[in-house]
Every structure is written in structure tokens, then in C-alpha cells.
Amino acid sequence: MRGPIAPPQVPLAASRAEVFADLVQDSVERLERRWPQLAEIDFLVLEVPRLDGRGDQAAWDDETVPLGGIIPARDGRRARVVVYRRPVEIRTKGRDERAALVHEVVVEQVAELLGLTPETVDPRYGED
């Protein structure tokens, strides 16, 4: 028998990148209920931050690798929040821990973009 192991609608058929993108989307949807202006921001998932420092505002060095970054709106382009999949995956064990870290990263980046504190963006920020 040849073909996929599971039909496309079954989670087994989703790639790690797709599952991660779903975690980011879930986080954004949670925040959009409180902050409808987030609909005007693009949320992206990239594998890793770029070495050349172009594109996003994430500064990093030999000691730290950013988990996310922002790209302010300019030249008619919408503002963007970026979450880096591989650095987040490396720091987490399991889906629940990964979902919590993704949400923290999204909250922190949205807070920076809006000029607010993370606790203002999500009052449950920092809770276990």
C-alpha cells in the first residue's frame, strides 16, 4: 500500500513547521481578542535569525540568539512580528512548553512594537 500514513486533516500529517506556525497563530488569536489592531500586523515564522542583521530588529551575538523580532511598518509595508522556530524548539521539550514559550515571545514582540509592557499586552504574562 502506498500513500500517506494519515489523511491531511489528521495532526500526524502536519510538519513541525506547520505545527509551530499553528502555535503562533493560536497565540495571535488569543491576543487579538484584547488588541484588535493586531489584525494590521503580519506575523511570520522564520527558521532562524539572519546573520547579516538585515530585515529585523533582533540584535544578537555569540552569547544569545533571539527568539523573535519586529520589523516596524515603513514604505507602505505593514509592521511584522517574527518568531524564530529553531531557537524556540531547541529551548523547549514538548508541545505545551513550546506553546507557552511561543506565546511569551509573541507577547514580548507585540509589546515592543506597541510601546507597552508585556503585562499590559497580556495580563497573564509571566505566569506559569
Side-chain angles (χ1 to χ4, degrees), residues 25-82:
Q25 185 61 38
D26 291 346
S27 180
V28 171
E29 287 173 1
R30 280 175 51 191
L31 293 176
E32 279 181 336
R33 291 183 207 123
R34 183 177 169 106
W35 302 96
Q37 64 265 45
L38 295 184
E40 301 300 317
I41 298 172
D42 291 331
F43 290 83
L44 308 171
V45 175
L46 297 178
E47 292 296 307
V48 293
R50 295 172 59 151
L51 286 173
D52 61 12
R54 294 182 313 164
D56 61 52
Q57 300 300 311
W60 61 298
D61 54 40
D62 292 339
E63 299 297 319
T64 60
V65 175
L67 303 179
I70 61 168
I71 305 169
R74 66 174 187 259
D75 301 330
R77 298 180 90 175
R78 293 164 40 138
R80 291 178 274 177
V81 169
V82 181

Side-chain angles (χ1 to χ4, degrees), residues 4-16:
I5 295 174
Q9 65 273 19
V10 176
L12 179 62
S15 70
R16 286 177 30 198

Side-chain angles (χ1 to χ4, degrees), residues 23 88 91-103:
L23 293 177
V88 170
R91 287 166 179 78
T92 57
K93 298 177 188 119
R95 188 183 195 288
D96 291 342
E97 190 176 318
R98 188 163 299 128
L101 184 55
V102 163
H103 187 67

